[in-house]
Amino acid sequence: MHAPLLSFVGHSSLLQTVTLVNFRNYTHRTFDFHEPIVALVGDNGVGKTNVLEAISLFSSGRGLRSIKLSEMKMLQAAQAWVVSANFSLGGTPVPFGTALDYSPSGTERRLIRINQLPVKNQATLTEWLNIVWVTPSMARLFQEAGSIRRKFIDRMVMALNPSHTERLNRYEHYLRERSQLLRQGVQDDQWLASIEQRLSEDGVAISIARSQLVRQLTEAQSNDFSSPFPRFFAQMEGEIDQWYRDSTALDIEDKIRQGLRQSRPQDAITGGAAIGAHRSDLAVTHLGKHMPSALCSTGEQKMLLHAITLAFIRLLDSYRDRLTLLLLDDVVAHLDQDHRTYLFQEVQTILDKGANLQIFMTGTSAGEFANMGAVQIIQL
Ligand SMILES: Nc1ncnc2c1ncn2[C@@H]1O[C@H](COP(=O)(O)OP(=O)(O)OP(=O)(O)O)[C@@H](O)[C@H]1O
Ligand SMILES: [Mg+2]
C-alpha cells in the first residue's frame, strides 16, 4: 500500500491523538494534540518519555529506546500493548495502530495497521511520515560506535527520502545472508556474487544519500553569527566515501564488488564484510574550536548535537511532502536561557514558513517553555 499524494497546506498535518494501552506505566490513556508544538511536562517518572516512545513506534524499528518490544508491556498487564494514533495528513484523517504480537513460533513482532489495513513491511511507515528523535543518551553520540551515528544520520535521510528505509533493510538482509553463507563455508560463487552485486548497488545508493544529507545539514546552518549554537562541518568518512572524489558511482559499485569478492576468506573468519556502506562514519568538526567532535567536551558535544538538529529543522523547510515528528526528550531542560530562546525562535520561524513539522518536547515544568509562542502544554 502506498501513501496517497496528499497536498499539504500550512499545518494541516498533525498527530492529533495517541492512545496507549498496557504500554509501560499506562493502562489506558489518550492524549490529544492540537498544536505543532507540544510540551509534555511533569515530575520525574510520571511517564513523559513513555509517551514519546509510543509515538516513535510509528516509524520503523523498535522505537526511541531501541529495546525489546515485550519490555514495553506494562509489567502488571496480562495482555500485550497497543498504541493507536490519529493523524491528519494534508487534511485527511489517517488512523495508525501498532501492537505487540507473537509469531506462531513465539518470537515477538510488531503488528502495524494504517487506515485499518495491516502493513507487512515497516518501511511503509516512512512513506507516510517521518519520526526523528533526540534523547539525553544521544549526548554521547560522538563517543559511541559508528553504527549509532549512522543510525542517527539514517533517520534524517529517511525523513527526506523514504526509499532509504527499504534500501537499508535490504542491505542489512544481504549482509547477514552473505556472512551466514561464508561462515557455513558455502562456496557457491554465483550465489555470493549476486548478493555482492546487490550489496554494492544498494551500498552506493545508501552512501550517496547519507553524504548528500550530511552536506545539506552543513549548508542548512544559519549564517546568523548571533546563534549561541556552535557551527560545524560534517561529512561521511570511510573507504568508499573517499572514492567519490575521483570515481563515478558505477566505478565504485565495481570496486565494492571486487573488494567483497576478495575479502570472502577474511570475512568468513571475522563474520563481517570488510568493505561497504556499513563501514562509513559521520565525522563532525566543531568549527569554533577547530576540533573533531570526539575531542570536544561533553557540553560542546551536546551543543553540536543540538546544532545538527537545528540544521535538520531548517532543512525541513524545503521538504514538505510528508509530516515530520521531532521528539526532543529532556532537551530543553539542559539548555540555558539563550540557547532555549534561540531554539524556540528557529522552530517558530520554520513553522511560520509552513514546514510540515510537529515537535514534541518533554520537561519537568511548564516554565521551561515560557518563551515559546503557541505551545500546547500537557501536564502529566
Ligand atoms: N514495562 C513497564 N511497566 C510498568 N511501568 C513501567 C514499565 N517501564 C517503565 N515503567 C515506568 O514508567 C514510569 C515513567 O517512565 P518515563 O521514563 O516515561 O518517565 P519520565 O516522565 O520521562 O521521567 P524523567 O523525567 O525522569 O525522564 C517509570 O516510573 C517507570 O518505572
Ligand atoms: Mg524521561
Side-chain angles (χ1 to χ4, degrees), residues 70-120:
S70 53
E71 282 183 33
M72 300 174 199
K73 183 176 84 72
M74 178 178 244
L75 282 180
Q76 306 82 345
Q79 270 153 3
W81 57 259
V82 179
V83 179
S84 39
N86 286 299
F87 285 86
S88 168
L89 299 176
T92 307
V94 187
F96 280 66
T98 184
L100 168 65
D101 184 44
Y102 292 92
S103 71
S105 63
T107 51
E108 52 186 58
R109 63 185 180 188
R110 190 148 79 84
L111 298 180
I112 297 171
R113 279 174 184 269
I114 303 177
N115 261 331
Q116 326 290 356
L117 298 171
V119 168
K120 266 209 170 138

Side-chain angles (χ1 to χ4, degrees), residues 24-25 43-50 65 71-76 330:
R24 301 257 186 210
N25 62 321
D43 294 338
N44 295 132
V46 78
K48 304 177 295 289
T49 306
N50 292 347
R65 287 188 173 103
E71 282 183 33
M72 300 174 199
K73 183 176 84 72
M74 178 178 244
L75 282 180
Q76 306 82 345
D330 265 346

Side-chain angles (χ1 to χ4, degrees), residues 123-136:
T124 308
L125 288 165
T126 339
E127 290 170 18
W128 292 78
L129 46 106
N130 320 296
I131 311 188
V132 175
W133 50 81
V134 178
T135 65

Side-chain angles (χ1 to χ4, degrees), residues 351-380:
L351 286 170
D352 289 346
K353 283 166 124 185
N356 206 346
L357 170 70
Q358 191 176 14
I359 300 199
F360 294 81
M361 297 179 287
T362 63
T364 42
S365 76
E368 286 164 24
F369 306 94
N371 289 349
M372 196 140 215
V375 54
Q376 180 190 351
I377 305 272
I378 298 179
Q379 184 78 46
L380 295 187

